[in-house]
């Protein structure tokens, strides 16, 4: 098995002088600063020789004091080894520009676009550098730079000026803020989106084609995003995706909150998987601090995260069922009913239905209440029987099979290449699960299977989801048996100011691999928090999957991915 | 009392044309009242029964714990909504589509017998227009709704609407043919196209005499009504509300209402053609024996309605290409097989 | 405005009708004056109460999940909380809805879309703001992309605080809205 120092020595021997600075944190983490001219070669070497076939995301960091910017590419492997290489490339703050990795990794596209629109780092060789998350008005302001003047902006709503276009639509113009005017950084030249009319003119070739909006408000979308499909009759010929309708700028906000306050924002990133997000952030901070979490707290975290996974899967599957069967379909209501049982279990511990803020640095907020284990032992077997019933129901239904089989199929190779996460990846047959891959808490001591599919189609995705619930139930039952008594928080006093350092921490979110890259500069606030969201990764693969399917299938495919636009937009 | 009857008979003898006109207008008013109230009850039943299947209560805040006045509230709201006619629509077609839909259902209602009165050992069917070809006429008039749907979708100047309209028409064409063949099969066995005679000829229910035709007819009927699994023309999660996306207020209310009118009339047609209509043992209680045929018909209709609602709660929606495939590749050949079967059985028993 | 705007007649007939007179005044004028009078009578009289009874018991909301509250909105419409009891069901097209639920953060990018949806809804219509984000920006109050005061853009009748509020609170907000409609105390005076 490869470990981090072997990877480092391999790079150093292949490209002498390419590694400017390096740190081997553990067997699984490698931090290296690479010469910006050689980054492409190093990546090529990593992917071809060392099995780094998983481009897991990238983060841009604005080091204003050092007058430079950094792009950190996060590389990993789909199960060949467990090393995560964090490759940093430095570029000067004036006219920042680095080489694009889109030629090597297909899924680098969105990550780099995001860095470009937020920090203004140009990517040489990127095929489509146009805005992803931001609206036109903010383009060119580079909001994630440390010297962004429009922040905090408390007057957005008051300043909005409504303009009625010639076509009768309302558009809003946001004049510059007083801070921007004072600093003289009012943006005049802005890159623009391709507008809908331009897209229509460019893409529509014949009279029988039209572009149809599915979103931002549509019965299909689990949150606002715009899926434009170019249809000829009932066939989808091409699909375009615009996201960012609920971009809240969480990463920027967290830089302006204390370390503890940051936990509340991770809740609101993906609201049906708050506990995993909490865990991811707290885990990263614990790693910087070098904290050891007491055993009981670890078990409590695992129990709650698995419960949270069950409820997330249930509501995701429920929404999916409404998409392919209509709201009158009874089983989805049963799923929501069952989910309430899980919600009340979680609520009895955390006190909230969705946004828990439960995990703390070095422990959890409070202990399990009395009678929790008994209630769990009562509810979980019921849940198990229900899930088995659902699996049987879908397995037997001929219409379901006619609708779902071989729809949106994705092969294991394609799924890996496109960097899908979670159920999409596992349904394609790749057993890639963070609970095994990068084990945290007490997961190594627990016995569970990684559920995989065979065909990688929509039916498989739902099947994998439901069978994962069974595994989660298994994990919780083991935890309830094994959980020791003891403290739920570490004795170490958590300092207000976290010592300088950086960490990358990965957890298995209900939607797949979630990672957080946290940098501390020794202050009472994080210097930078970068979120690698699982749905953001999967979302990118939606458009290629939709080519050539029927409209009804397009809806089914999008639904089977269990979308959470709030997390992809952040 | 006698005096009034005398005056009426005198008037009828003197002015037969005007008398017929007056009777016709009264008949139409009574008929539409009966059908519309019936459809409102169907909507209410749909909401309540669906709620029950979904583990919910359904409307229960107005009109007592059963929420009977819920539809009254909905109707008042829809009547007092703003009447939006979007700027890009083809106005004439847009406005006339709901009206045509209502007219279509009333045309169906005119020829459908709503039961019979059993007086003196004889059945007197309750039908406004007792035509010789009523079975065929009803089946044809049921498909006027599809034309209204196409008008609504085409005129709305909306992409979802036009797709809904196309889907509706593709579906109608694929299923109207097998449905017609099934009606012919029934007519062949009854030696008549008159619905009253078809009912009277059913000593054995047609559902047992030609089970294949029964199954095909009920699938085609669900398709015609546009309910799950055949609700592609208004598939909410794909094309918002299909053909009625741009309709609001009472215009949408009318379109929505006609679907349920059709639902009711289609269920009655089903009961008449295949479930023996109002045939059944006469209840030997004075007064009740007069309306006992109607009680039988009502029970059968309720069972059909309940079945179709249950289908909606338990099946997935098919894709439009699968729907047309099923129609042309399975329903049509099988309905022809059923026609052959009906011819053989019919000539054997005749 | 001609008669063809109100009842479905071809424009040619409309033009013809405009030439007709009744009591020395154009027919169209009489027609519209009468309609206006009828409206005034309705506004004053007890018949308005009947209208409002219908409206309050049949509020269809626009299904539009936007944030955390969107998930709770989903549950609010489904089996466990069953908004259908109050005659409140989700519809997907703004043309057929009566109440718009702002269920989360309103961003700069989404505001124009949202305003269009609001304008597409036929009168009478109401607006409910759910959750801290929709009321004041909530935890994202100082974000560069969030519109903090949605009240500037929409006439909001009921504010439901919480982050996110529980579905029970949704129900209470709905009941409050119904009460407002009944007492004719809503923002837009129906």
């Amino acid at each position: 098995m490869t470990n981090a120092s072997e990877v480092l020595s391999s790079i150093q021997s292949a490209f002498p002088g390419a590694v400017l600075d390096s740190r081997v944190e553990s067997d699984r983490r490698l931090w290296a600063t690479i010469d910006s001219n050689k980054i492409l070669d190093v990546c090529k070497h990593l992917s071809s020789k060392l099995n780094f076939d998983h481009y897991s995301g990238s983060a841009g960091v604005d080091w204003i004091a050092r007058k430079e910017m950094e792009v950190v590419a996060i590389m990993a492997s789909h199960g060949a080894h467990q090393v995560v290489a964090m490759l940093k490339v430095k570029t000067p703050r004036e006219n920042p520009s680095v080489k694009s990795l889109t030629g090597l990794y297909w899924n680098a596209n969105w990550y780099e676009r995001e860095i470009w629109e937020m920090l203004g780092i140009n990517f040489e060789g990127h095929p489509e550098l146009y805005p992803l998350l931001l609206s036109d008005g903010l383009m060119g302001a580079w909001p994630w730079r440390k010297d962004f003047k429009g922040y905090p902006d408390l007057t957005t709503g008051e300043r909005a000026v409504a303009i009625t276009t010639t076509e009768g639509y309302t558009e809003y113009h946001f004049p510059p803020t007083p801070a921007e005017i004072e600093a003289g950084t009012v943006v005049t030249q802005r890159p623009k989106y391709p507008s809908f009319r331009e897209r229509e003119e460019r893409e529509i070739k014949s009279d029988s084609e039209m572009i149809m909006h599915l979103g931002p408000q549509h019965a299909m979308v689990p949150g606002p995003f715009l899926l434009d499909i170019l249809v000829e009759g009932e066939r989808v010929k091409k699909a375009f995706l615009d996201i960012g309708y609920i971009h809240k700028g969480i990463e920027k906000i967290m830089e302006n909150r204390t370390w503890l306050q940051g936990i509340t924002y991770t809740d609101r990133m993906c609201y049906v998987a708050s506990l995993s997000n909490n865990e991811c952030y707290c885990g990263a901070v614990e790693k910087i601090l070098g904290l050891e979490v007491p055993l009981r707290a670890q078990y409590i975290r695992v129990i709650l995260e698995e419960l949270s996974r069950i409820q997330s899967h249930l509501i995701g599957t429920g929404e999916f069922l409404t998409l392919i069967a209509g709201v009158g379909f009874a089983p989805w209501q049963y799923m929501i009913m069952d989910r309430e049982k899980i919600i009340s279990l979680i609520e009895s511990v955390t006190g909230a239905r969705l946004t828990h803020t439960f995990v703390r640095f070095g422990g959890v907020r409070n202990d399990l209440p009395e009678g929790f284990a008994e209630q769990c032992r009562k509810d979980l077997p019921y849940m198990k029987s229900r899930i088995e019933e659902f699996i049987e129901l879908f397995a037997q239904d001929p219409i379901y099979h006619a609708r779902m089989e071989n729809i949106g199929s994705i092969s294991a190779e394609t799924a890996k290449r496109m960097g899908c996460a979670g159920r999409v990846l596992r349904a394609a047959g790749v057993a890639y699960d963070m609970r095994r891959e990068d084990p945290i808490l007490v997961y190594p001591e627990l016995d569970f299977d990684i559920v995989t599919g065979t065909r990688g189609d929509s039916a498989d995705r739902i099947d994998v989801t439901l069978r994962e619930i069974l595994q989660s139930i298994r994990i919780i039952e083991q935890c309830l048996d094994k959980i020791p008594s003891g403290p739920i928080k570490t004795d170490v006093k958590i300092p207000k100011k976290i010592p300088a350092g950086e960490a990358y921490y990965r957890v298995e979110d209900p939607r797949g691999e979630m990672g957080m890259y946290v940098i501390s500069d020794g202050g009472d606030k994080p210097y930078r928090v970068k979120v690698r969201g699982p749905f953001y990764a999967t979302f990118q693969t939606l458009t290629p999957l939709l080519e050539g399917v029927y409209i009804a299938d397009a809806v089914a495919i999008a639904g089977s991915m269990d979308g959470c636009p709030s997390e992809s937009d952040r | 009392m006698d005096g009034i009857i005398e005056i009426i008979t005198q008037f009828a003898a003197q002015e037969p044309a005007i008398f017929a006109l007056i009777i016709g207008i009264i008949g139409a008013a009574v008929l539409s009242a009966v059908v519309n109230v019936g459809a409102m009850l169907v909507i209410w039943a749909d909401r309540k029964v669906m709620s029950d299947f979904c583990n919910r209560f359904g409307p229960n805040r107005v009109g007592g714990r059963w929420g009977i006045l819920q539809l009254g509230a909905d109707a008042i709201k829809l009547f007092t909504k703003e009447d939006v006619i979007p700027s890009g629509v083809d106005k004439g077609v847009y406005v006339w589509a709901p009206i045509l839909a209502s007219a279509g259902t009333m045309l169906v209602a005119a020829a459908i017998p709503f039961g019979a009165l059993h007086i003196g050992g004889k059945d007197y069917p309750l039908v406004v227009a007792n035509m010789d070809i009523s079975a065929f006429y009803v089946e044809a008039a049921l498909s006027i709704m599809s034309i209204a749907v196409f008008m609504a979708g085409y005129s709305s100047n909306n992409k979802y609407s036009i797709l809904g309209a196309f889907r509706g028409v593709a579906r109608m064409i694929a299923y109207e043919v097998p449905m017609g063949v099934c009606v012919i099969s029934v007519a062949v066995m009854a030696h008549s196209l008159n619905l009253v005679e078809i009912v009277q000829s059913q000593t054995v229910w047609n559902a047992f005499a030609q089970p294949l035709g029964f199954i095909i007819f009920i699938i085609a009927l669900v398709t015609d009504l546009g309910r799950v699994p055949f609700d592609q023309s208004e598939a909410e999660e794909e094309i918002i509300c299909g053909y009625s996306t741009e309709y609001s207020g009472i215009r949408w209310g009318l379109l929505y209402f006609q679907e349920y009118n059709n639902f009711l009339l289609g269920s009655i047609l089903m009961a008449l053609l295949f479930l023996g209509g109002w045939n059944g043992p006469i209840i030997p209680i004075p007064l009740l024996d007069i309306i006992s045929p109607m009680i039988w018909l009502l029970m059968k209709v309720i069972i059909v309605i309940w079945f179709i609602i249950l289908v909606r709660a338990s099946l997935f929606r098919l894709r439009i290409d699968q729907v047309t495939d099923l129609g042309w590749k399975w329903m049509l050949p099988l309905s022809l097989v059923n026609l052959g079967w009906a011819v053989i059985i019919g000539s054997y028993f005749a | 405005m001609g008669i063809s705007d109100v009842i479905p007649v071809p424009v040619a007939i409309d033009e013809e009708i405009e030439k007709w007179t009744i009591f020395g005044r154009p027919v169209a004028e009489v027609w519209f004056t009468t309609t206006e009078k009828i409206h005034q009578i309705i506004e004053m009289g007890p018949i308005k109460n009947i209208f409002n009874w219908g409206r309050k018991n049949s509020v269809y909301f626009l299904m539009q999940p936007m944030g955390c509250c969107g998930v709770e909105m989903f549950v609010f419409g489904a089996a466990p909380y069953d908004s259908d009891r109050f005659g409140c069901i989700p519809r997907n097209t703004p043309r057929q809805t009566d109440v718009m639920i702002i269920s989360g953060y309103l961003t700069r990018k989404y505001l124009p879309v949202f305003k269009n949806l609001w304008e597409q809804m036929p009168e009478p219509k109401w607006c409910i703001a759910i959750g801290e984000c929709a009321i004041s920006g909530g935890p994202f109050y100082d974000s560069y992309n969030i519109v903090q005061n949605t009240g500037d853009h929409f006439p909001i009748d009921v504010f439901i605080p919480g982050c996110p509020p529980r579905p029970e609170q949704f129900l209470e907000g709905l009941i409050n809205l119904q009460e407002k409609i009944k007492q004719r105390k809503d923002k837009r005076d129906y």
Side-chain angles (χ1 to χ4, degrees):
Chain A
M1 191 178 279
T2 325
N3 66 25
S5 39
E6 281 173 31
V7 172
L8 182 61
S9 55
S10 166
I11 298 174
Q12 275 166 339
S13 60
F15 304 99
V19 181
L20 304 176
D21 183 21
S22 69
R23 176 165 74 95
V24 177
E25 185 187 306
S26 68
D27 279 356
R28 294 167 191 272
R29 288 284 184 287
L30 168 69
W31 302 82
T33 310
I34 309 287
D35 187 352
S36 60
N37 293 322
K38 293 187 178 160
I39 179 72
L40 270 177
D41 299 329
V42 171
C43 286
K44 239 176 233 165
H45 176 74
L46 284 177
S47 60
S48 59
K49 300 274 162 46
L50 293 166
N51 278 322
F52 278 89
D53 54 352
H54 179 34
Y55 179 89
S56 174
S58 61
V61 188
D62 177 20
W63 293 102
I64 189 162
R66 301 203 316 242
K67 293 212 168 92
E68 60 185 11
M69 293 218 195
E70 226 174 48
V71 175
V72 188
I74 305 161
M75 316 282 248
S77 162
H78 280 115
H81 53 75
Q82 273 95 34
V83 184
V84 179
M86 312 285 288
L87 305 181
K88 298 177 183 174
V89 178
K90 288 195 163 79
T91 173
R93 211 158 173 281
E94 302 299 319
N95 291 327
S97 178
V98 295
K99 286 195 175 110
S100 167
L101 295 181
T102 38
L104 279 174
Y105 298 100
W106 181 87
N107 59 330
N109 191 330
W110 275 21
Y111 296 100
E112 294 184 348
R113 254 167 84 183
E114 187 191 308
I115 295 174
W116 169 72
E117 68 178 333
M118 295 301 179
L119 290 159
I121 301 176
N122 186 38
F123 282 88
E124 296 158 29
H126 192 287
E128 36 177 12
L129 269 187
Y130 63 85
L132 179 70
L133 295 171
L134 288 183
S135 53
D136 283 346
L138 274 168
M139 271 315 297
W142 317 128
W144 285 4
R145 285 191 182 183
K146 288 280 174 186
D147 57 352
F148 172 58
K149 282 291 183 223
Y151 185 88
D153 173 12
L154 300 182
T155 52
T156 320
E158 290 159 19
R159 286 187 298 115
V161 181
I163 304 164
T164 310
T165 61
T166 47
E167 283 165 349
Y169 296 112
T170 318
E171 274 182 6
Y172 283 90
H173 173 60
F174 294 90
T177 58
E180 279 173 353
I181 295 167
E182 196 180 309
T185 53
V186 179
V187 186
T188 44
Q189 291 277 323
R190 300 172 199 273
K192 246 183 92 69
Y193 277 96
S195 77
F196 178 64
R197 295 278 166 240
E198 284 164 26
R199 179 178 283 167
E200 259 189 339
E201 277 162 24
R202 196 178 65 232
E203 300 290 344
I204 293 184
K205 300 283 188 323
S206 75
D207 283 350
S208 58
E209 295 172 347
M210 63 179 179
I211 289 185
M212 218 169 94
H213 291 311
L214 303 183
Q217 188 272 334
H218 190 276
M220 178 204 86
V221 297
F225 64 82
L226 173 59
L227 183 63
D228 272 355
I229 50 176
L230 175 68
V231 290
E232 180 167 23
E234 285 277 336
R235 286 271 181 191
V236 180
K237 294 184 88 176
K238 206 170 174 187
F240 315 89
L241 197 54
D242 285 344
I243 64 170
Y245 284 90
I246 44 173
H247 172 66
K248 308 174 279 292
I250 283 187
E251 292 176 21
K252 180 76 180 179
I253 295 175
M254 280 168 84
E255 289 171 16
N256 292 277
R257 299 285 190 274
T258 62
W259 287 93
L260 195 62
Q261 283 173 337
I263 302 176
T264 55
Y265 286 89
T266 57
D267 275 335
R268 284 152 184 87
M269 221 145 45
C270 180
Y271 28 79
V272 283
S274 328
L275 281 158
S276 318
N277 300 1
N278 284 176
E279 168 65 36
C280 197
Y281 176 66
C282 293
V285 176
E286 279 158 14
K287 227 174 171 181
I288 297 177
L289 284 167
L291 275 185
E292 192 63 39
V293 184
L295 203 54
R296 185 172 172 83
Q298 293 194 19
Y299 273 105
I300 294 176
R301 283 187 188 184
V302 170
I303 290 174
L304 283 170
E305 274 155 36
E306 294 303 323
L307 281 175
S308 161
R309 190 185 314 279
I310 295 175
Q311 61 91 3
S312 168
H313 280 351
L314 278 176
I315 198 166
T317 318
E319 278 183 52
F320 165 75
L321 289 183
T322 63
L323 297 190
I324 60 166
V327 282
F329 190 59
W332 82 268
Q333 305 263 17
Y334 302 159
M335 281 191 178
I336 304 291
M337 287 294 264
D338 293 344
R339 177 175 171 269
E340 285 300 302
K341 277 197 186 326
I342 302 290
I343 287 279
S344 57
L345 272 180
I346 300 178
E347 205 185 337
S348 72
V349 185
T350 66
R353 281 171 60 90
L354 290 179
T355 45
H356 312 292
T357 323
F358 181 68
V359 182
R360 289 294 146 83
F361 307 136
V364 291
R365 192 177 69 212
N366 52 297
D367 208 340
L368 298 178
E370 260 178 51
F372 178 78
E374 289 71 47
Q375 191 62 35
C376 267
R377 289 211 174 86
K378 218 168 82 190
D379 283 351
L380 289 179
Y382 164 80
M383 190 58 62
K384 202 169 170 180
S385 66
R386 291 293 290 212
I387 299 300
E388 276 161 0
E389 222 172 286
F390 284 130
I391 293 176
E392 203 185 322
L393 174 77
F394 298 144
Q396 286 174 350
D397 196 312
I399 298 183
Y400 177 75
H401 280 270
R403 275 297 305 277
M404 286 298 113
E405 255 172 30
N406 299 323
I407 296 302
S409 299
I410 185 162
S411 70
E413 277 67 43
T414 326
K416 281 182 188 174
R417 186 173 59 81
M418 290 183 167
C420 302
R423 60 166 71 168
V424 182
L425 189 62
R426 285 195 287 274
V430 185
Y432 188 62
D433 190 318
M434 284 311 118
R435 291 174 289 182
R436 279 283 156 74
E437 214 57 40
D438 206 351
I440 47 163
L441 304 177
V442 288
Y443 279 115
E445 293 162 28
L446 301 169
D447 177 33
F448 63 97
D449 300 330
I450 296 173
V451 184
T452 53
T454 46
R455 299 182 305 267
D457 55 10
S458 299
D460 252 10
R461 276 171 223 149
I462 298 306
D463 193 43
V464 164
T465 314
L466 290 175
R467 284 191 289 141
E468 262 178 22
I469 297 181
L470 294 181
Q471 295 302 325
S472 291
I473 293 174
R474 225 173 113 193
I475 293 176
I476 297 169
E477 279 168 350
Q478 289 172 44
C479 285
L480 290 175
D481 292 340
K482 284 185 180 173
I483 185 166
S485 55
I488 53 159
K489 256 181 211 158
T490 172
D491 298 337
V492 184
K493 190 172 181 306
I494 314 288
K496 273 230 168 80
K497 293 186 175 179
I498 306 283
E502 54 188 353
Y504 183 64
Y505 193 76
R506 299 195 287 177
V507 299
E508 183 66 20
D509 188 84
R511 280 161 194 77
E513 172 198 354
M514 162 167 260
M516 275 200 208
Y517 175 39
V518 179
I519 305 176
S520 167
D521 62 345
D524 58 350
K525 292 168 184 166
Y527 189 76
R528 175 91 171 89
V529 179
K530 163 72 196 170
V531 183
R532 189 266 180 208
F535 186 61
Y536 187 78
T538 314
F539 214 7
Q540 248 192 103
T541 61
L542 183 60
T543 39
L545 278 185
L546 295 188
E547 277 165 30
V549 302
Y550 287 100
I551 293 173
D553 292 338
V555 171
I557 294 168
S560 71
M561 286 186 170
D562 188 9
C564 182
S566 173
E567 176 239 274
S568 66
D569 286 0
R570 279 159 288 134
Chain B
M1 191 71 190
D2 287 346
I4 297 169
I5 292 174
E6 202 175 300
I7 291 167
I8 292 174
T9 29
Q10 254 182 13
F11 179 68
Q14 283 167 2
E15 300 278 355
I18 295 176
F19 181 71
L21 188 67
I22 292 171
I23 289 290
I25 289 171
I26 293 172
V30 171
L31 177 76
S32 46
V34 167
V35 173
N36 287 341
V37 170
M40 283 179 93
L41 286 175
V42 174
I43 299 180
W44 174 79
D46 189 29
R47 268 175 93 165
K48 283 307 263 193
V49 176
M50 282 299 296
S51 304
D52 207 26
F53 282 131
C54 296
N55 236 336
R56 300 189 281 125
F57 288 108
N60 65 357
R61 283 300 190 275
V62 281
R65 59 186 290 229
W66 298 105
I68 295 173
L69 291 183
Q70 181 60 46
L71 283 174
D74 283 345
I76 288 175
K77 183 205 72 179
L78 287 176
F79 265 111
T80 57
K81 268 297 223 193
E82 184 191 359
D83 179 24
V84 178
I85 300 181
S87 54
V89 301
D90 188 339
K91 211 168 124 195
V93 185
Y94 178 87
V95 165
W96 279 100
I99 298 169
L100 181 73
S102 338
T105 47
M106 286 306 119
L107 286 178
V108 179
I112 280 197
F114 288 93
L117 294 178
H118 185 81
I119 304 169
K122 203 162 169 260
D123 281 352
Y124 293 94
L126 290 172
V127 53
V128 176
N130 193 1
M131 310 179 196
D132 285 345
I133 52 152
S134 52
F136 224 59
Y137 165 81
V138 163
E139 204 265 331
L142 262 179
S143 53
I144 288 183
M145 183 72 187
S146 302
I147 297 172
V149 163
F150 187 76
M151 281 168 65
Y154 166 78
S155 66
S156 284
N157 188 27
N158 183 311
K159 289 167 184 174
Y160 304 124
S161 300
I162 194 78
L163 268 175
F166 285 153
R167 286 179 176 193
V169 170
R171 207 181 55 196
M172 186 269 278
I173 293 170
Y175 281 80
E176 217 55 40
V177 182
M179 199 170 169
V181 175
C182 283
V183 172
I184 295 173
S185 316
V186 171
V188 164
M189 279 183 76
H191 301 285
S192 167
L193 270 169
N194 187 332
L195 279 172
V196 176
E197 285 171 27
I198 287 175
V199 170
Q200 281 161 355
S201 73
Q202 286 184 57
T203 43
V204 177
W205 289 6
N206 279 336
F208 299 118
Q210 33 179 313
L212 188 61
F214 174 64
I215 293 166
I216 293 169
F217 189 82
I218 197 153
I219 293 175
L221 182 67
V222 174
T223 319
D224 213 44
L225 302 178
R227 292 181 66 86
V228 175
F230 301 105
D231 69 334
Q232 290 79 14
S233 63
E234 49 196 296
E236 291 205 350
E237 284 69 27
E238 293 155 25
I239 47 172
I240 308 286
C241 284
Y243 59 87
S244 61
T245 305
E246 288 288 351
Y247 278 85
S248 62
I250 194 58
R251 294 186 203 282
W252 172 66
L254 267 181
L255 273 176
Y256 181 74
F257 200 63
Q258 296 325 313
E259 281 171 32
Y260 283 88
N261 261 339
N262 268 0
F263 189 178
L264 176 67
L265 297 171
S267 308
I268 297 177
L269 186 64
M270 179 88 219
L272 294 176
L273 288 179
F274 285 93
L275 300 177
W278 54 82
N279 294 345
I282 299 300
I283 303 161
I285 302 171
L287 286 181
L288 264 189
D289 64 343
I290 296 178
I291 56 163
S292 77
M294 292 181 71
I295 294 174
W296 285 115
L297 183 66
L298 192 64
M299 279 167 63
K300 288 167 186 173
V301 169
I302 287 174
I303 289 171
V304 174
I305 288 176
W306 191 80
F307 173 78
I308 294 176
I309 295 174
L310 175 61
V311 164
R312 179 175 166 211
S314 48
L315 284 189
F316 290 91
R317 180 189 299 129
L318 282 165
R319 215 166 48 210
I320 185 66
D321 63 314
Q322 290 167 338
V323 173
T324 43
D325 269 10
L326 187 72
W328 291 114
K329 291 181 187 164
W330 293 94
M331 292 294 144
L332 184 57
L334 285 177
S335 66
L336 290 174
V337 169
N338 181 62
L339 179 61
W341 166 260
V343 168
I344 294 165
I345 296 284
S347 52
Y348 179 76
F349 282 113
Chain C
M1 190 168 171
I3 284 176
S4 66
D5 290 324
V6 182
I7 48 171
V9 289
V11 181
I13 296 180
D14 194 21
E15 283 163 3
E16 183 63 30
I17 288 174
E18 271 171 17
K19 291 174 199 155
W20 299 357
T21 54
I22 184 166
F23 304 130
R25 291 168 67 196
V27 167
E29 197 181 297
V30 174
W31 166 281
F32 287 113
T33 322
T34 326
T35 326
E36 228 162 67
K37 280 270 162 359
I38 293 172
H39 274 290
Q40 281 172 4
I41 292 166
I42 288 173
E43 280 299 318
M44 294 184 299
I47 198 164
K48 190 70 189 296
N49 290 344
I50 299 174
F51 284 4
N52 278 353
W53 172 83
R55 286 165 178 172
K56 103 177 168 48
N57 284 313
S58 152
V59 277
Y60 295 175
F61 65 93
L62 184 63
M63 191 66 198
Q64 187 192 30
M66 281 158 70
C68 326
C69 307
V71 176
E72 296 291 46
M73 187 162 87
F74 207 71
V75 179
F76 159 72
Y81 294 92
D82 191 16
S83 64
D84 194 12
R85 285 180 295 158
F86 300 86
C88 179
I89 55 173
R91 298 292 310 174
N92 294 314
T93 157
R95 296 272 187 227
Q96 294 155 15
T97 48
D98 313 298
V99 58
M100 170 170 264
I101 296 182
I102 308 179
S103 63
Y105 2 85
L106 202 53
T107 60
R108 283 178 174 207
K109 196 171 174 179
Y110 200 28
L111 181 61
V113 180
F114 213 82
K115 195 80 179 172
N116 272 338
L117 286 171
W118 169 251
E119 279 160 8
Q120 277 172 355
M121 283 167 59
E123 307 268 350
K125 54 191 174 186
W126 298 275
C127 188
I128 297 181
I130 281 180
E132 300 297 344
C133 308
I135 294 170
S136 65
F140 310 105
Y141 72 100
D142 56 353
S143 166
Y144 53 84
N145 206 28
I146 296 283
V147 177
Q148 285 92 1
N149 20 24
T150 43
D152 290 356
H153 301 277
F154 303 98
I156 297 167
D157 277 311
V158 179
F159 293 94
I160 306 178
C163 192
R166 301 174 59 91
E168 290 95 328
Q169 280 169 277
F170 278 60
L171 286 179
E172 202 193 332
L174 174 65
I175 293 167
N176 283 341
L177 178 67
Q178 289 184 335
E179 196 58 32
K180 267 190 147 180
I181 297 172
K182 192 182 160 193
Q183 295 178 358
R184 304 193 198 176
K185 282 188 178 161
D186 48 335
K187 275 238 168 114
R188 292 159 66 90
D189 259 354
Y190 290 115

